[in-house]
Coordinates of all heavy atoms in Angstrom, one line a residue:
M532 N -23.1 68.7 54.0 CA -23.5 69.6 53.0 C -24.9 69.0 52.5 O -25.1 67.8 52.3 CB -22.6 69.5 51.8 CG -23.0 70.2 50.6 SD -21.7 70.2 49.3 CE -22.4 71.3 48.2
T533 N -25.9 69.8 52.4 CA -27.2 69.3 51.9 C -27.4 69.6 50.5 O -27.0 70.6 50.0 CB -28.4 69.9 52.9 OG1 -28.4 71.3 52.6 CG2 -28.2 69.6 54.2
T534 N -28.2 68.8 49.8 CA -28.5 69.0 48.5 C -29.9 69.5 48.4 O -30.8 69.0 49.2 CB -28.3 67.7 47.6 OG1 -29.1 66.6 48.2 CG2 -26.9 67.3 47.5
P535 N -30.3 70.4 47.5 CA -31.6 70.9 47.5 C -32.5 69.7 47.0 O -32.0 68.8 46.3 CB -31.6 71.9 46.4 CG -30.3 71.8 45.7 CD -29.4 71.1 46.7
S536 N -33.7 69.7 47.6 CA -34.6 68.5 47.2 C -34.9 68.7 45.7 O -35.0 69.9 45.3 CB -35.7 68.6 48.0 OG -36.5 69.8 47.9
S537 N -35.3 67.7 45.0 CA -35.5 67.8 43.6 C -37.0 68.4 43.5 O -37.7 68.1 44.3 CB -35.4 66.4 42.9 OG -36.3 65.5 43.5
P538 N -37.2 69.0 42.4 CA -38.5 69.7 42.3 C -39.5 68.5 42.1 O -39.3 67.5 41.7 CB -38.4 70.5 40.9 CG -37.1 70.5 40.7 CD -36.3 69.4 41.3
S539 N -40.8 68.8 42.5 CA -41.8 67.9 42.4 C -43.1 68.7 42.0 O -43.2 69.9 42.1 CB -42.1 67.1 43.8 OG -42.5 68.0 44.7
V540 N -44.0 67.9 41.6 CA -45.2 68.5 41.1 C -46.2 68.6 42.4 O -46.3 67.8 43.2 CB -46.0 67.4 40.1 CG1 -47.3 68.1 39.7 CG2 -45.1 67.4 38.9
Q541 N -46.8 69.8 42.4 CA -47.8 70.1 43.5 C -49.1 70.5 42.8 O -49.2 71.1 41.9 CB -47.2 71.3 44.2 CG -45.9 71.1 44.8 CD -45.9 70.1 45.9 OE1 -46.8 69.9 46.7 NE2 -44.8 69.3 46.0
D542 N -50.1 70.0 43.5 CA -51.5 70.4 43.1 C -51.8 71.8 43.7 O -51.5 72.1 44.9 CB -52.6 69.4 43.5 CG -54.0 69.7 43.0 OD1 -54.2 70.6 42.1 OD2 -54.9 69.0 43.5
N543 N -52.3 72.7 42.8 CA -52.7 74.0 43.4 C -54.3 74.2 43.1 O -54.6 74.7 42.0 CB -51.9 75.1 42.6 CG -52.1 76.5 43.2 OD1 -53.2 76.8 43.8 ND2 -51.3 77.5 42.9
P544 N -55.0 73.7 44.0 CA -56.4 73.6 43.7 C -57.1 75.0 43.5 O -58.0 75.1 42.8 CB -57.0 72.9 45.0 CG -55.9 72.3 45.7 CD -54.7 73.0 45.3
S545 N -56.5 76.0 44.3 CA -57.1 77.4 44.0 C -56.9 77.9 42.6 O -57.7 78.8 42.1 CB -56.6 78.4 45.0 OG -55.2 78.5 44.8
K546 N -55.9 77.5 42.0 CA -55.7 77.9 40.6 C -56.1 76.7 39.5 O -55.8 76.9 38.4 CB -54.3 78.3 40.4 CG -53.9 79.6 41.1 CD -52.7 80.0 40.8 CE -52.4 81.4 41.6 NZ -51.0 82.0 41.2
H547 N -56.6 75.6 40.1 CA -57.0 74.5 39.2 C -55.8 74.1 38.3 O -56.0 74.0 37.0 CB -58.2 74.9 38.4 CG -59.3 75.3 39.2 ND1 -60.1 74.4 39.9 CD2 -59.9 76.5 39.4 CE1 -61.1 75.0 40.5 NE2 -60.9 76.3 40.3
R548 N -54.7 73.9 38.8 CA -53.5 73.3 38.1 C -52.6 72.6 39.0 O -52.4 72.8 40.2 CB -52.9 74.5 37.4 CG -52.3 75.4 38.2 CD -51.7 76.7 37.5 NE -50.9 77.6 38.3 CZ -50.6 78.8 37.9 NH1 -50.9 79.3 36.8 NH2 -49.8 79.5 38.7
F549 N -51.8 71.7 38.3 CA -50.7 71.0 38.8 C -49.5 71.9 38.5 O -49.4 72.3 37.3 CB -50.6 69.6 38.3 CG -51.6 68.7 39.1 CD1 -52.8 68.5 38.4 CD2 -51.4 68.0 40.2 CE1 -53.7 67.7 38.9 CE2 -52.2 67.2 40.8 CZ -53.5 67.0 40.2
E550 N -48.5 72.0 39.4 CA -47.4 73.0 39.0 C -46.0 72.2 39.3 O -45.9 71.4 40.2 CB -47.4 74.2 39.9 CG -48.7 75.0 39.7 CD -48.8 76.1 40.8 OE1 -48.1 76.1 41.9 OE2 -49.6 77.1 40.4
F551 N -45.1 72.5 38.4 CA -43.8 72.1 38.6 C -42.8 73.3 38.5 O -42.9 74.0 37.5 CB -43.5 71.1 37.5 CG -42.0 70.6 37.6 CD1 -41.7 69.4 38.2 CD2 -41.0 71.3 37.0 CE1 -40.4 68.9 38.2 CE2 -39.6 70.9 37.0 CZ -39.4 69.6 37.6
E552 N -42.1 73.6 39.5 CA -41.2 74.7 39.5 C -39.7 74.3 39.6 O -39.4 73.5 40.3 CB -41.5 75.6 40.7 CG -42.8 76.3 40.5 CD -43.0 77.4 41.6 OE1 -42.1 78.4 41.7 OE2 -44.0 77.5 42.2
S553 N -39.0 74.9 38.8 CA -37.5 74.6 38.6 C -36.8 75.8 37.9 O -37.4 76.3 37.0 CB -37.2 73.3 38.0 OG -35.8 73.0 37.9
Q554 N -35.6 76.1 38.3 CA -34.9 77.2 37.6 C -35.6 78.4 37.4 O -35.4 79.2 36.5 CB -34.4 76.7 36.1 CG -33.7 75.3 36.2 CD -33.5 74.7 34.8 OE1 -33.5 75.5 33.8 NE2 -33.6 73.5 34.7
G555 N -36.4 78.7 38.5 CA -37.3 80.0 38.4 C -38.4 80.0 37.3 O -38.9 81.1 37.0
E556 N -38.6 78.8 36.7 CA -39.7 78.6 35.7 C -40.8 77.7 36.4 O -40.5 77.0 37.3 CB -39.1 77.9 34.5 CG -38.1 78.7 33.9 CD -38.6 79.9 33.0 OE1 -39.7 80.1 32.8 OE2 -37.7 80.7 32.6
R557 N -42.0 77.9 35.9 CA -43.1 77.1 36.4 C -43.9 76.4 35.2 O -44.2 77.2 34.3 CB -44.1 78.0 37.1 CG -45.4 77.2 37.6 CD -46.4 78.0 38.3 NE -45.8 78.5 39.5 CZ -45.8 79.7 40.1 NH1 -46.5 80.5 39.4 NH2 -45.2 80.0 41.2
A558 N -43.9 75.2 35.2 CA -44.7 74.4 34.2 C -46.0 74.1 34.8 O -46.1 73.8 36.1 CB -44.0 73.1 33.8
V559 N -47.1 74.1 34.1 CA -48.4 73.8 34.6 C -49.3 72.9 33.8 O -49.0 72.7 32.6 CB -49.2 75.2 34.9 CG1 -48.5 76.0 35.9 CG2 -49.4 75.8 33.6
A560 N -50.1 72.0 34.5 CA -51.2 71.3 33.8 C -52.5 71.8 34.4 O -52.9 71.6 35.6 CB -51.0 69.8 34.1
V561 N -53.3 72.6 33.6 CA -54.5 73.2 33.9 C -55.7 72.2 33.9 O -55.8 71.5 32.9 CB -54.8 74.4 33.1 CG1 -56.1 75.1 33.4 CG2 -53.6 75.4 33.2
Y562 N -56.5 72.2 34.9 CA -57.7 71.3 34.9 C -58.9 71.9 35.3 O -58.9 73.0 35.9 CB -57.4 70.0 35.7 CG -57.2 70.4 37.2 CD1 -58.2 70.4 38.1 CD2 -55.9 70.5 37.8 CE1 -58.1 70.8 39.4 CE2 -55.7 70.7 39.0 CZ -56.8 70.9 39.9 OH -56.6 71.1 41.3
S563 N -60.0 71.3 35.1 CA -61.3 71.8 35.7 C -61.9 70.6 36.4 O -61.7 69.3 36.0 CB -62.3 72.4 34.7 OG -62.6 71.4 33.7
L564 N -62.7 70.8 37.4 CA -63.4 69.7 38.1 C -64.9 70.0 38.1 O -65.3 71.0 38.2 CB -63.0 69.8 39.6 CG -61.7 69.0 40.0 CD1 -61.4 69.3 41.5 CD2 -61.8 67.6 39.9
A565 N -65.6 68.9 37.8 CA -67.1 69.0 37.8 C -67.5 67.6 38.3 O -67.3 66.5 37.7 CB -67.6 69.2 36.4
G566 N -68.1 67.6 39.6 CA -68.5 66.4 40.3 C -67.3 65.5 40.4 O -66.2 65.9 41.0
D567 N -67.5 64.3 39.9 CA -66.3 63.3 39.9 C -65.6 63.2 38.7 O -64.9 62.1 38.4 CB -66.9 61.9 40.5 CG -67.7 61.2 39.3 OD1 -68.1 62.0 38.4 OD2 -68.0 59.9 39.5
V568 N -65.5 64.3 37.9 CA -64.8 64.3 36.7 C -63.7 65.4 36.7 O -64.0 66.5 37.0 CB -65.7 64.4 35.4 CG1 -64.8 64.5 34.2 CG2 -66.7 63.2 35.3
I569 N -62.5 65.0 36.3 CA -61.5 66.0 36.2 C -61.1 66.1 34.7 O -60.9 65.0 34.0 CB -60.2 65.8 37.1 CG1 -59.2 66.9 36.9 CG2 -59.5 64.4 36.7 CD1 -58.0 66.8 38.0
T570 N -61.2 67.2 34.1 CA -60.8 67.5 32.7 C -59.4 68.2 32.6 O -59.3 69.3 33.2 CB -61.9 68.3 32.0 OG1 -63.2 67.6 32.2 CG2 -61.6 68.5 30.6
F571 N -58.4 67.5 32.1 CA -57.2 68.2 31.8 C -57.2 69.0 30.6 O -57.4 68.4 29.5 CB -56.1 67.1 31.9 CG -55.8 66.4 33.2 CD1 -56.4 65.3 33.5 CD2 -55.2 67.3 34.2 CE1 -56.2 64.7 34.7 CE2 -55.0 66.7 35.4 CZ -55.5 65.4 35.7
I572 N -57.1 70.2 30.7 CA -57.4 71.1 29.6 C -56.2 71.5 28.8 O -56.2 71.5 27.5 CB -58.0 72.5 30.1 CG1 -59.3 72.1 31.0 CG2 -58.3 73.4 29.0 CD1 -59.9 73.1 31.7
H573 N -55.1 71.9 29.5 CA -53.8 72.4 28.8 C -52.6 72.2 29.7 O -52.7 72.2 30.9 CB -54.1 74.0 28.7 CG -53.0 74.6 28.0 ND1 -52.6 74.4 26.6 CD2 -52.0 75.5 28.4 CE1 -51.5 75.1 26.3 NE2 -51.2 75.8 27.3
T574 N -51.5 71.8 29.1 CA -50.3 71.6 29.7 C -49.2 72.7 29.1 O -49.2 72.8 27.8 CB -49.7 70.2 29.6 OG1 -50.6 69.4 30.2 CG2 -48.3 70.1 30.3
L575 N -48.5 73.5 29.9 CA -47.6 74.4 29.4 C -46.2 74.2 30.1 O -46.2 74.3 31.3 CB -48.1 75.8 29.6 CG -47.0 76.9 29.3 CD1 -46.9 76.9 27.8 CD2 -47.7 78.2 29.8
V576 N -45.2 73.9 29.3 CA -43.9 73.8 29.8 C -42.9 74.9 29.1 O -42.8 74.9 28.0 CB -43.2 72.4 29.5 CG1 -41.9 72.3 30.1 CG2 -44.2 71.3 30.2
P577 N -42.5 75.8 30.0 CA -41.6 76.8 29.5 C -40.4 76.2 28.8 O -40.0 75.1 29.0 CB -41.2 77.6 30.7 CG -42.1 77.3 31.8 CD -42.6 75.9 31.5
E578 N -39.9 77.0 27.7 CA -38.9 76.6 27.0 C -37.6 76.0 27.8 O -36.9 75.0 27.5 CB -38.3 77.5 26.0 CG -37.5 77.1 24.9 CD -37.2 78.1 23.8 OE1 -38.1 78.9 23.5 OE2 -36.1 78.0 23.3
A579 N -37.4 76.8 28.9 CA -36.2 76.4 29.7 C -36.2 75.1 30.4 O -35.3 74.4 30.8 CB -36.0 77.5 30.9
L580 N -37.4 74.5 30.5 CA -37.8 73.3 31.2 C -38.1 72.1 30.1 O -38.2 71.0 30.5 CB -38.8 73.4 32.2 CG -38.7 74.3 33.3 CD1 -39.8 74.4 34.2 CD2 -37.5 74.0 34.1
Q581 N -38.2 72.4 28.9 CA -38.5 71.4 27.9 C -37.4 70.4 27.7 O -36.2 70.7 27.9 CB -38.8 72.1 26.6 CG -40.1 72.7 26.6 CD -40.5 73.4 25.4 OE1 -39.9 73.3 24.3 NE2 -41.6 74.4 25.4
G582 N -37.7 69.2 27.3 CA -36.7 68.1 27.1 C -36.2 67.5 28.4 O -35.4 66.7 28.4
Q583 N -36.9 67.7 29.5 CA -36.4 67.2 30.8 C -37.4 66.2 31.4 O -37.4 65.9 32.6 CB -36.2 68.3 31.8 CG -35.1 69.3 31.2 CD -34.9 70.4 32.2 OE1 -35.1 70.3 33.4 NE2 -34.6 71.6 31.7
G584 N -38.6 65.9 30.7 CA -39.7 65.1 31.2 C -40.5 65.7 32.2 O -41.3 65.0 32.7
V585 N -40.6 66.9 32.1 CA -41.5 67.7 33.0 C -43.0 67.5 32.6 O -43.8 67.3 33.6 CB -41.3 69.3 32.9 CG1 -42.3 70.1 33.7 CG2 -39.8 69.5 33.6
A586 N -43.3 67.5 31.3 CA -44.7 67.3 31.0 C -45.1 65.9 31.4 O -46.3 65.8 31.9 CB -44.8 67.4 29.5
R587 N -44.3 64.9 31.3 CA -44.6 63.5 31.8 C -44.8 63.5 33.3 O -45.8 62.8 33.7 CB -43.5 62.7 31.4 CG -43.8 61.1 31.7 CD -42.7 60.3 31.1 NE -43.1 58.9 31.2 CZ -43.0 58.1 32.2 NH1 -42.4 58.6 33.4 NH2 -43.3 56.8 32.3
Q588 N -44.0 64.2 34.0 CA -44.2 64.3 35.4 C -45.6 64.9 35.8 O -46.2 64.5 36.7 CB -43.1 65.1 36.1 CG -41.8 64.4 36.1 CD -40.7 65.2 36.8 OE1 -40.8 65.6 38.0 NE2 -39.6 65.5 36.1
L589 N -46.0 66.0 35.1 CA -47.3 66.6 35.4 C -48.3 65.6 35.1 O -49.3 65.6 35.8 CB -47.3 67.8 34.4 CG -46.6 69.1 34.8 CD1 -46.5 70.1 33.8 CD2 -47.0 69.7 36.2
V590 N -48.2 64.9 33.9 CA -49.2 63.9 33.6 C -49.3 62.8 34.6 O -50.5 62.5 35.2 CB -49.0 63.3 32.1 CG1 -49.9 62.1 31.9 CG2 -49.2 64.3 31.1
L591 N -48.3 62.2 35.1 CA -48.3 61.3 36.1 C -48.8 61.7 37.4 O -49.7 61.0 38.0 CB -46.8 60.7 36.3 CG -46.2 59.9 35.1 CD1 -44.6 59.6 35.4 CD2 -47.0 58.7 34.8
A592 N -48.5 62.9 37.8 CA -49.0 63.5 39.1 C -50.5 63.7 38.9 O -51.3 63.4 39.8 CB -48.3 64.8 39.4
G593 N -51.0 64.2 37.8 CA -52.4 64.5 37.6 C -53.2 63.1 37.7 O -54.3 63.1 38.2
L594 N -52.8 62.2 36.9 CA -53.4 60.9 36.9 C -53.3 60.2 38.2 O -54.3 59.5 38.6 CB -52.8 59.9 35.8 CG -53.0 60.6 34.3 CD1 -52.4 59.5 33.3 CD2 -54.5 60.8 34.0
A595 N -52.3 60.3 38.9 CA -52.2 59.6 40.3 C -53.2 60.3 41.2 O -53.9 59.6 42.0 CB -50.8 59.7 40.8
S596 N -53.3 61.6 41.1 CA -54.2 62.4 42.0 C -55.7 62.0 41.6 O -56.5 61.7 42.5 CB -54.1 63.8 41.8 OG -55.1 64.5 42.5
A597 N -56.0 61.8 40.3 CA -57.2 61.4 39.9 C -57.6 60.1 40.5 O -58.8 59.8 41.0 CB -57.4 61.4 38.4
R598 N -56.6 59.2 40.4 CA -56.9 57.8 40.9 C -57.1 57.9 42.4 O -58.0 57.2 42.9 CB -55.7 56.9 40.5 CG -56.0 55.4 40.8 CD -54.8 54.5 40.3 NE -54.6 54.5 38.9 CZ -55.3 53.9 37.9 NH1 -56.5 53.2 38.4 NH2 -55.1 53.9 36.7
E599 N -56.2 58.6 43.1 CA -56.4 58.6 44.6 C -57.7 59.1 45.0 O -58.3 58.8 45.9 CB -55.3 59.5 45.1 CG -53.9 58.8 45.2 CD -52.8 59.8 45.5 OE1 -53.2 60.9 46.0 OE2 -51.7 59.6 45.3
R600 N -58.3 60.1 44.2 CA -59.6 60.8 44.7 C -60.7 60.2 44.0 O -61.8 60.6 44.1 CB -59.4 62.2 44.2 CG -58.3 62.9 44.9 CD -57.8 64.2 44.3 NE -58.8 65.2 44.1 CZ -58.7 66.4 43.4 NH1 -57.5 66.6 42.8 NH2 -59.6 67.2 43.4
G601 N -60.6 59.0 43.2 CA -61.7 58.4 42.5 C -62.3 59.2 41.5 O -63.5 59.1 41.2
L602 N -61.5 60.0 40.8 CA -62.1 60.9 39.7 C -62.0 60.1 38.4 O -61.1 59.5 38.1 CB -61.3 62.3 39.7 CG -61.4 63.1 40.9 CD1 -60.4 64.2 40.7 CD2 -62.9 63.5 41.2
R603 N -62.9 60.5 37.5 CA -62.9 60.0 36.1 C -62.2 61.1 35.3 O -62.2 62.3 35.7 CB -64.3 59.9 35.6 CG -65.2 59.0 36.4 CD -64.7 57.8 36.9 NE -64.6 56.7 35.6 CZ -63.9 55.6 35.7 NH1 -63.2 55.4 36.8 NH2 -63.9 54.8 34.8
V604 N -61.5 60.7 34.3 CA -60.5 61.7 33.5 C -61.1 62.0 32.1 O -61.4 61.0 31.4 CB -59.2 61.1 33.4 CG1 -58.2 61.9 32.6 CG2 -58.5 61.0 34.8
I605 N -61.1 63.2 31.7 CA -61.3 63.6 30.3 C -60.0 64.3 29.9 O -59.7 65.4 30.4 CB -62.5 64.6 30.2 CG1 -63.7 63.9 30.6 CG2 -62.6 65.0 28.6 CD1 -65.0 64.8 30.6
P606 N -59.2 63.7 29.0 CA -57.9 64.2 28.6 C -58.1 65.1 27.4 O -57.7 64.8 26.2 CB -57.0 63.0 28.3 CG -58.1 62.0 27.8 CD -59.3 62.3 28.5
Q607 N -58.6 66.4 27.5 CA -58.7 67.3 26.4 C -57.3 67.8 26.0 O -57.1 68.1 24.8 CB -59.6 68.5 26.9 CG -61.0 68.1 26.9 CD -61.9 69.4 27.1 OE1 -61.4 70.5 27.5 NE2 -63.2 69.3 27.2
C608 N -56.4 67.9 27.0 CA -55.0 68.4 26.7 C -54.3 67.3 25.8 O -54.3 66.1 26.1 CB -54.3 68.6 27.9 SG -52.5 68.7 27.7
P609 N -53.7 67.6 24.7 CA -53.0 66.7 23.8 C -52.0 65.9 24.5 O -51.7 64.8 24.2 CB -52.4 67.6 22.7 CG -53.3 68.8 22.7 CD -53.7 69.0 24.1
V610 N -51.2 66.5 25.5 CA -50.2 65.8 26.3 C -50.8 64.7 27.1 O -50.3 63.6 27.0 CB -49.5 66.8 27.1 CG1 -48.4 66.1 28.0 CG2 -48.8 68.0 26.4
F611 N -51.9 65.0 27.8 CA -52.6 63.9 28.6 C -53.2 62.9 27.7 O -53.1 61.6 27.9 CB -53.6 64.5 29.4 CG -53.2 65.0 30.7 CD1 -52.5 66.3 30.9 CD2 -53.2 64.2 32.0 CE1 -52.0 66.8 32.0 CE2 -52.8 64.8 33.1 CZ -52.2 66.0 33.1
A612 N -53.7 63.3 26.5 CA -54.5 62.3 25.6 C -53.3 61.5 25.0 O -53.6 60.2 24.9 CB -55.1 63.2 24.5
A613 N -52.2 61.9 24.6 CA -51.2 61.1 24.0 C -50.6 60.1 25.0 O -50.4 58.9 24.7 CB -50.0 61.9 23.5
Y614 N -50.4 60.5 26.2 CA -49.9 59.6 27.2 C -50.9 58.6 27.6 O -50.6 57.3 27.4 CB -49.6 60.3 28.6 CG -49.1 59.4 29.6 CD1 -47.7 59.3 29.6 CD2 -49.8 58.7 30.4 CE1 -47.1 58.3 30.6 CE2 -49.4 57.9 31.5 CZ -48.0 57.7 31.4 OH -47.5 56.8 32.4
M615 N -52.2 58.9 27.7 CA -53.2 57.9 28.1 C -53.5 56.9 26.9 O -53.7 55.8 27.1 CB -54.6 58.6 28.5 CG -54.3 59.3 29.8 SD -55.8 60.0 30.5 CE -56.5 58.4 31.3
R616 N -53.4 57.4 25.7 CA -53.6 56.6 24.5 C -52.5 55.5 24.4 O -52.9 54.4 24.0 CB -53.6 57.5 23.3 CG -54.0 56.7 22.0 CD -54.0 57.7 20.8 NE -55.2 58.5 20.9 CZ -55.1 59.8 20.9 NH1 -54.0 60.5 21.0 NH2 -56.3 60.6 20.9
S617 N -51.4 55.8 24.9 CA -50.2 54.9 24.6 C -50.0 54.1 26.0 O -49.1 53.2 26.0 CB -48.9 55.4 24.3 OG -48.6 56.6 25.2
H618 N -50.9 54.3 27.0 CA -50.7 53.6 28.3 C -52.0 53.0 28.7 O -52.8 53.6 29.5 CB -50.1 54.5 29.4 CG -48.7 55.0 29.2 ND1 -48.3 55.9 28.3 CD2 -47.6 54.3 29.6 CE1 -46.9 55.9 28.4 NE2 -46.5 55.0 29.1
P619 N -52.4 51.8 28.1 CA -53.6 51.2 28.5 C -53.9 51.0 29.9 O -55.1 50.9 30.3 CB -53.5 49.8 27.9 CG -52.3 49.9 26.8 CD -51.5 50.9 27.3
E620 N -52.9 51.0 30.8 CA -53.2 50.8 32.2 C -53.8 52.0 32.8 O -54.2 52.1 33.9 CB -51.9 50.5 33.0 CG -50.8 51.8 33.0 CD -49.9 51.9 31.8 OE1 -50.2 51.2 30.8 OE2 -48.9 52.7 31.9
T621 N -53.9 53.1 32.1 CA -54.7 54.3 32.5 C -56.1 54.4 32.1 O -56.9 55.3 32.4 CB -53.9 55.6 32.0 OG1 -54.1 55.7 30.7 CG2 -52.6 55.7 32.5
H622 N -56.5 53.5 31.2 CA -57.8 53.6 30.5 C -58.9 53.4 31.5 O -60.0 54.0 31.2 CB -58.0 52.5 29.4 CG -57.0 52.9 28.2 ND1 -56.9 52.0 27.2 CD2 -56.2 53.9 27.9 CE1 -56.0 52.5 26.2 NE2 -55.6 53.7 26.8
D623 N -58.7 52.7 32.5 CA -59.8 52.6 33.6 C -60.1 53.9 34.3 O -61.3 54.0 34.8 CB -59.4 51.6 34.6 CG -58.2 52.1 35.5 OD1 -57.1 52.4 34.9 OD2 -58.3 52.0 36.8
L624 N -59.3 55.0 34.1 CA -59.6 56.3 34.6 C -60.5 57.1 33.8 O -61.2 58.0 34.2 CB -58.3 57.0 34.9 CG -57.4 56.5 35.9 CD1 -56.0 57.3 35.9 CD2 -58.1 56.7 37.3
L625 N -60.6 56.6 32.5 CA -61.4 57.5 31.5 C -62.9 57.6 31.8 O -63.6 56.6 32.0 CB -61.1 56.9 30.1 CG -59.7 57.2 29.6 CD1 -59.4 56.3 28.4 CD2 -59.4 58.6 29.3
A626 N -63.4 58.8 31.7 CA -64.8 59.0 31.6 C -65.2 58.7 30.3 O -64.4 58.5 29.4 CB -65.2 60.5 32.0
D627 N -66.6 58.4 30.1 CA -67.1 58.2 28.7 C -66.6 59.1 27.7 O -66.2 58.8 26.6 CB -68.5 58.1 28.7 CG -69.1 56.9 29.5 OD1 -68.4 56.0 29.8 OD2 -70.3 56.8 30.0
E628 N -66.7 60.4 27.9 CA -66.2 61.5 27.1 C -64.7 61.4 26.8 O -64.3 61.5 25.7 CB -66.5 62.8 27.6 CG -66.2 64.0 26.6 CD -66.5 65.3 27.1 OE1 -67.4 65.5 27.9 OE2 -65.7 66.2 26.7
G629 N -63.9 60.9 27.8 CA -62.5 60.7 27.5 C -62.3 59.5 26.7 O -61.3 59.5 25.8
R630 N -63.0 58.4 26.8 CA -63.0 57.3 25.9 C -63.2 57.7 24.5 O -62.6 57.4 23.6 CB -63.8 56.2 26.3 CG -63.5 55.5 27.6 CD -64.3 54.2 27.9 NE -63.6 53.5 28.9 CZ -62.6 52.7 28.8 NH1 -62.1 52.6 27.5 NH2 -62.1 52.0 29.8
A631 N -64.3 58.5 24.3 CA -64.6 59.0 23.0 C -63.5 59.8 22.4 O -63.1 59.8 21.2 CB -65.9 59.8 23.1
L632 N -62.9 60.7 23.2 CA -61.8 61.5 22.7 C -60.7 60.7 22.2 O -60.0 61.1 21.2 CB -61.3 62.4 23.9 CG -62.1 63.7 24.0 CD1 -61.5 64.4 25.2 CD2 -62.0 64.7 22.8
L633 N -60.3 59.7 22.9 CA -59.3 58.8 22.5 C -59.6 57.7 21.5 O -58.7 56.8 21.0 CB -58.7 58.1 23.7 CG -58.1 59.0 24.8 CD1 -57.4 58.2 26.0 CD2 -57.1 60.1 24.2
G634 N -60.9 57.7 21.1 CA -61.3 56.6 20.1 C -61.3 55.3 20.7 O -61.1 54.3 20.0
L635 N -61.6 55.1 22.0 CA -61.7 53.8 22.6 C -63.1 53.3 22.8 O -64.0 54.0 23.0 CB -60.9 53.8 23.9 CG -59.5 54.3 23.9 CD1 -58.9 54.4 25.3 CD2 -58.6 53.2 23.1

């Protein structure tokens, strides 16, 4: 008997968003790219997926992708901003505008 693989976050570059699908629902973290800067604009988690750490998974995937690609981050999205504010180990990813947004 095989168990279905657990859902994971996928980058969908054509739609400029990271996606997490489960239970027929899709959570997204929308971003824009300009040069070597990625701006996380909005995170949306449907009610059916809330309370399961989905937003955190989207943030972790987005920041990991930025790090792998050598991108600077502007966390306009409150979810990304809150995570980065409370996780100093992510501050090296911040673009100058991102630092200003977080008051750093």
Side-chain angles (χ1 to χ4, degrees):
M532 179 175 190
T533 61
T534 56
S536 62
S537 61
S539 64
V540 176
Q541 302 294 321
D542 187 6
N543 184 340
S545 66
K546 293 190 176 180
H547 303 286
R548 66 189 191 188
F549 287 88
E550 302 176 341
F551 176 94
E552 289 190 53
S553 179
Q554 304 169 33
E556 301 281 348
R557 178 181 294 134
V559 298
V561 179
Y562 63 84
S563 67
L564 276 173
D567 67 345
V568 175
I569 186 167
T570 302
F571 290 101
I572 301 166
H573 181 68
T574 300
L575 176 65
V576 178
E578 192 172 329
L580 298 178
Q581 291 179 6
Q583 301 174 37
V585 173
R587 184 175 194 275
Q588 289 182 55
L589 288 166
V590 169
L591 292 174
L594 295 179
S596 176
R598 188 173 298 285
E599 288 171 14
R600 296 160 62 189
L602 300 173
R603 312 308 289 161
V604 174
I605 300 174
Q607 286 182 354
C608 167
V610 175
F611 276 80
Y614 183 89
M615 292 186 81
R616 188 175 287 115
S617 65
H618 289 85
E620 69 275 12
T621 66
H622 293 176
D623 65 306
L624 292 171
L625 290 166
D627 290 342
E628 184 180 332
R630 288 188 166 284
L632 277 173
L633 299 186
L635 301 174

